[in-house]
Amino acid sequence: MNASTQDLSFSATVEGGAGGSRLPALNDWVAQVAALTRPAAIHWCDGSDAENEALTARMLADGTLHKLNEETHPGSYLHRSHPDDVARVEHLTFVCTTHHEDAGPNNNWMAPEEGHAEMDALFDGCMQGRTMYVIPYCMGPIDSPLSRCGVEITDSPYVVANMRIMTRMGAPALARIEREGTFVKGLHSIGELDPNRRFIMHFPEELTIKSYGSGYGGNALLGKKCHALRIASHQAKSEGWLAEHMLILGIENPQGETHYVAAAFPSACGKTNLAMLIPPEGYRNAGWKVWTIGDDICWMRPGADGRLYAINPEAGFFGVAPGTSRNSNANALASIQSSTIFTNVGVTADNQPWWEGLENGQTPVIDWRGNPYDPAKGPAAHPNSRFTVSAKQCPSYSPMAEDPQGVPISAIVFGGRRASLVPLVFEARDWTHGVLVGAAMGSETTAAATGAVGVMRRDPMAMKPFCGYNFADYFSHWLSFDKEGAQLPKVFHVNWFRKGDNGKFLWPGFGDNLRVLEWMIQRVKGEADAVETPIGALPAEGALNLDGITLDEEAKAKLFGFDRAAWEAEFASIGEYLDEYGPRMPQALKDEQQRIAGLLAD
Ligand code: OXD
Ligand code: MN
């Protein structure tokens, strides 16, 4: 928006704790946005309990929220989104950089002036009769040098309630913004919730986001995908750090030693389950523990000792509800028994939240649209229905998650949903190979974004929907960490989703994934055996602990073997993929692809 062309004399009732800021740049921006969107009132969020209670009462009164059973789920609410607004909209998500090539073939692009003009036309007068909320927030622990702040302006109280859980929001964040003088500007309006008037635009060079026409989490909670991934990845490139779509967990062995792992998986591939893993019984009895730092986003940068240190910029979980059960993720289930916002789940006769795979013996009576549940009309909960809950409610939440210095990362894991070809686990031989493993990641699509489900696509480092700049430059940035004095993590690839000839999963997954993590940590310490192959090092027979599980011969062959001819074809396709980026693709990565393709052909 061009301030000079706006009528800044517009006035609205100002409410809320702060009622303004000591930072002129922030006050001016809020005034410009108000002049454009013309709200009835402006509310500066302070993040207090009183503010949250008042907002909740407002949302209960207008039907934005429905109270759930207070006895079974105290302080919890259900929100039903517009049925056409249930997932991220990648085809309507843009990165607006001055030069088209800077956004890369991996993003939709628009010139910044055009993007602003398009968005400002949508925002013009869109908040009339509504309250405009100003949300100062901090991504990461409030006192961490790795954290970054932003301000989201929105007309959705549901967004305010979610941002309060997902970020450090309110007065302390405002104080940090006023101290630092910089912040990411995020402007959001639900507009008319019309899919034809919906866009999510990013202006990384201006640290600005504009999102219109959707109330869905990934499109509307601007701290998450828009700031912490798209804008932050761009910022991280110029500042020498990494903003990644990764969970972070700590693995404590019986000797009390904890290793931290960061793992990238595409949306809805079990990141939350892995981040909250409960060790199998034998491991539990032996004293193993798994600690959760984050389930979706990881910001990392080299520390003085050359290792990568990571923080989780988020303060809560926005997890996929379907499939969450006592068996699949008891920690998530325990976390969401109180003070949780559920979005698009079903409801039981006694008003408890319900979703497919909950497996608690109850049945839904109302579906996610608010209609009587009829199995013939589809699932009770939308496949991308969600829970929003504070990370502090998770039994496995690590106290180290609040450490301003972050945690040192021992291993980076890339994983996809691959029914065939890809073995359970392999280790990259060095950093360059690891970057290629991440760059070549492929996965079948899920319900987290609109579009066909189950189609295999390349999703480098699980960042296809989230990298705010050209992937070729992003891979160069990753390669640049391999320098004098660096103590980089080992890189691995996993596939929990390999299927047998009968179409069934071959690996039990969930808690048993700890067996794979244990092998990785042993490899980091130089204590486990591996078999070298052209694609990387696979666990040697007997090196990965399989005590307590039974795998048949087909499973062993497919999970721990490698099919040379099929990999040769895969590497040809990886080569073609890298070529799609033209001359900006780093030569080192192309050479690495060639090296392995050569080994496979031998
Ligand atoms: C998410 C996603 O919501 O990746 O985390 O879509
Ligand atoms: Mn995600």
Side-chain angles (χ1 to χ4, degrees):
M1 175 176 37
N2 181 346
S4 59
T5 62
Q6 296 300 324
D7 171 13
L8 294 180
S9 61
F10 172 80
S11 72
T13 317
V14 177
E15 50 179 69
S21 164
R22 286 195 297 266
L23 188 67
L26 175 52
N27 278 335
D28 291 353
W29 176 58
V30 171
Q32 286 165 21
V33 170
L36 177 68
T37 59
R38 301 196 288 284
I42 301 174
H43 179 110
W44 287 74
C45 299
D46 61 12
S48 63
D49 290 344
E51 175 181 82
N52 190 45
E53 279 156 26
L55 265 177
T56 304
R58 214 182 270 186
M59 287 189 280
L60 285 170
D62 70 12
T64 304
L65 291 184
H66 304 271
K67 180 116 190 67
L68 291 166
N69 187 321
E70 182 61 21
E71 262 165 48
T72 59
H73 291 76
S76 298
Y77 301 92
L78 166 67
H79 171 73
R80 291 193 184 101
S81 74
H82 189 284
D84 291 329
D85 185 30
V86 290
R88 285 182 291 97
V89 281
E90 293 178 13
H91 60 297
L92 301 175
T93 300
F94 284 71
V95 168
C96 306
T97 44
T98 310
H99 302 290
H100 189 169
E101 321 79 75
D102 290 342
N106 46 304
N107 282 301
N108 299 315
W109 176 85
M110 214 182 267
E113 322 77 73
E114 207 188 318
H116 281 303
E118 186 103 31
M119 295 309 280
D120 291 350
L122 294 172
F123 279 109
D124 193 357
C126 74
M127 295 191 190
Q128 288 175 71
R130 298 182 186 169
T131 298
M132 177 176 113
Y133 299 92
V134 181
I135 314 171
Y137 64 87
C138 179
M139 299 311 292
I142 199 85
D143 52 352
S144 170
L146 283 81
S147 300
R148 294 287 183 278
C149 291
V151 177
E152 174 165 357
I153 296 182
T154 179
D155 53 9
S156 162
Y158 165 80
V159 165
V160 179
N162 278 270
M163 285 291 283
R164 183 169 187 268
I165 296 173
M166 295 304 296
T167 72
R168 280 91 174 166
M169 177 269 245
L174 181 60
R176 180 166 169 164
I177 289 167
E178 288 171 344
R179 226 175 27 249
E180 292 183 336
T182 54
F183 58 96
V184 170
K185 293 177 182 152
L187 172 54
H188 168 253
S189 171
I190 52 173
E192 309 80 22
L193 291 175
D194 175 355
N196 297 313
R197 285 168 53 82
R198 179 174 295 161
F199 277 118
I200 325 295
M201 296 222 190
H202 303 76
F203 303 86
E205 292 151 355
E206 303 163 43
L207 300 184
T208 294
I209 305 154
K210 293 185 177 178
S211 165
Y212 189 89
S214 167
Y216 171 75
N219 304 324
L221 310 180
L222 300 187
K224 193 173 179 65
K225 303 300 188 181
C226 300
H227 177 164
L229 288 175
R230 296 193 193 96
I231 299 287
S233 60
H234 190 274
Q235 216 174 4
K237 176 163 167 45
S238 54
E239 296 176 4
W241 49 283
L242 290 163
E244 299 302 324
H245 190 202
M246 291 178 175
L247 65 93
I248 312 167
L249 58 74
I251 302 154
E252 183 178 331
N253 67 16
Q255 294 74 49
E257 190 184 71
T258 304
H259 282 270
Y260 294 94
V261 171
F265 295 83
S267 309
C269 285
K271 286 214 300 297
T272 306
N273 292 345
L274 185 61
M276 298 180 189
L277 183 150
I278 296 188
E281 202 182 338
Y283 279 80
R284 261 195 328 269
N285 294 343
W288 288 81
K289 290 192 186 110
V290 171
W291 296 103
T292 310
I293 304 268
D295 79 329
D296 195 40
I297 302 180
C298 164
W299 286 358
M300 293 183 274
R301 70 150 193 218
D305 58 0
R307 299 187 71 186
L308 289 181
Y309 283 78
I311 60 163
N312 169 16
E314 301 192 281
F317 307 119
F318 182 63
V320 178
T324 306
S325 70
R326 257 190 77 77
N327 287 332
S328 68
N329 194 337
N331 279 327
L333 204 63
S335 311
I336 58 181
Q337 293 310 302
S338 65
S339 307
T340 302
I341 301 174
F342 294 91
T343 302
N344 293 339
V345 296
V347 181
T348 62
D350 65 346
N351 211 19
Q352 294 190 49
W354 193 94
W355 49 84
E356 279 67 24
L358 175 58
E359 291 167 355
N360 67 350
Q362 292 169 337
T363 43
V365 295
I366 309 279
D367 72 11
W368 64 275
R369 291 183 167 87
N371 297 327
Y373 172 56
D374 174 356
K377 293 194 177 141
H382 186 276
N384 193 35
S385 54
R386 300 281 177 146
F387 52 77
T388 318
V389 70
S390 166
K392 294 204 167 116
Q393 292 188 200
C394 178
S396 57
Y397 190 51
S398 165
M400 289 299 285
E402 302 292 331
D403 190 313
Q405 298 314 316
V407 293
I409 298 297
S410 300
I412 286 179
V413 180
F414 295 117
R417 191 180 273 274
R418 296 291 293 263
S420 58
L421 180 73
V422 183
L424 180 64
V425 58
F426 62 88
E427 176 192 325
R429 77 165 190 167
D430 57 17
W431 186 254
T432 304
H433 181 201
V435 175
L436 179 67
V437 168
M441 249 170 80
S443 195
E444 292 152 19
T445 51
T446 68
T450 49
V453 168
V455 180
M456 153 62 197
R457 71 167 180 182
R458 297 249 169 246
D459 188 353
M461 288 149 175
M463 285 288 276
K464 167 75 187 73
F466 308 120
C467 182
Y469 62 104
N470 191 323
F471 258 154
D473 299 340
Y474 171 74
F475 302 144
S476 299
H477 183 48
W478 263 82
L479 292 169
S480 75
F481 286 81
D482 188 6
K483 55 175 174 238
E484 185 80 32
Q487 301 281 331
L488 294 168
K490 268 190 181 294
V491 179
F492 298 86
H493 189 281
V494 299
N495 178 22
W496 315 137
F497 301 96
R498 185 78 188 254
K499 288 184 177 165
D501 292 340
N502 62 4
K504 296 220 167 90
F505 290 119
L506 293 173
W507 177 247
F510 301 107
D512 287 308
N513 292 337
L514 182 57
R515 300 169 188 278
V516 178
L517 297 173
E518 183 193 13
W519 179 75
M520 291 177 190
I521 301 305
Q522 286 174 344
R523 291 292 295 166
V524 167
K525 300 204 304 186
E527 291 172 1
D529 289 336
V531 179
E532 299 296 334
T533 77
I535 63 161
L538 274 73
E541 180 144 15
L544 196 143
N545 178 8
L546 296 176
D547 289 353
I549 51 174
T550 333
L551 298 176
D552 63 22
E553 286 313 308
E554 183 199 11
K556 281 193 194 147
K558 289 187 167 147
L559 292 170
F560 299 110
F562 109 101
D563 175 344
R564 183 177 286 267
W567 273 102
E568 215 179 323
E570 172 79 352
F571 263 78
S573 132
I574 293 170
E576 282 163 22
Y577 177 69
L578 298 184
D579 284 345
E580 283 172 23
Y581 291 82
R584 277 169 99 122
M585 182 55 69
Q587 191 57 42
L589 216 55
K590 293 206 263 188
D591 291 348
E592 186 63 10
Q593 182 271 339
Q594 286 294 308
R595 181 185 72 79
I596 297 171
L599 289 175
L600 285 164
D602 276 352

